[in-house]
């Protein structure tokens, strides 16, 4: 995701095409499982915003967090890695 972000002077934007975005959605959906169960996805702070933009409109049960937003004492159970 980070390699598909172009940074400009004023803002940054995602340069993924529709096929790549559908593939990202499919991969996340496979790992997330039941759409009724809340799921937290941990992403880098650089890509978190863009993940939220493409995923949250269709998958309301998924919340994106960056590593620095998780308190040190919080136990995280990994369900897998989305590549």
């Amino acid at each position: 995701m980070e390699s598909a972000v172009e940074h400009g002077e004023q803002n940054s934007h995602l340069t993924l095409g529709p096929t790549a975005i559908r593939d990202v959605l499919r991969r996340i959906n496979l790992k997330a499982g039941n759409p009724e169960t809340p799921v937290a996805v941990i992403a880098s702070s650089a890509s978190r915003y863009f993940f939220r933009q493409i995923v949250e409109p269709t998958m309301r049960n998924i919340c994106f967090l960056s590593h620095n937003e998780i308190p040190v004492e919080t136990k995280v159970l990994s369900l897998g890695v989305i590549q």
Side-chain angles (χ1 to χ4, degrees):
M1 182 67 72
E2 289 181 36
S3 63
V5 176
E6 285 190 11
H7 301 282
E9 287 185 35
Q10 300 293 324
N11 58 17
S12 299
H13 65 279
L14 188 64
T15 61
L16 285 179
T19 304
I21 290 174
R22 281 192 295 274
D23 187 48
V24 168
L25 291 171
R26 181 187 60 78
R27 290 175 190 210
I28 291 173
N29 195 31
L30 286 173
K31 291 289 183 184
N34 184 352
E36 301 295 319
T37 304
V39 175
V41 175
I42 302 172
S44 69
S45 56
S47 61
R48 176 183 161 275
Y49 171 79
F50 297 103
F51 273 120
R52 287 183 63 196
Q53 295 299 309
I54 64 173
V55 174
E56 284 186 350
T58 57
M59 298 178 205
R60 296 278 195 207
N61 64 317
I62 298 177
C63 173
F64 288 88
L65 300 170
S66 65
H67 297 279
N68 60 345
E69 294 176 301
I70 302 170
V72 175
E73 66 277 359
T74 301
K75 186 175 181 175
V76 176
L77 172 65
S78 175
L79 298 177
V81 176
I82 301 165
Q83 297 181 344

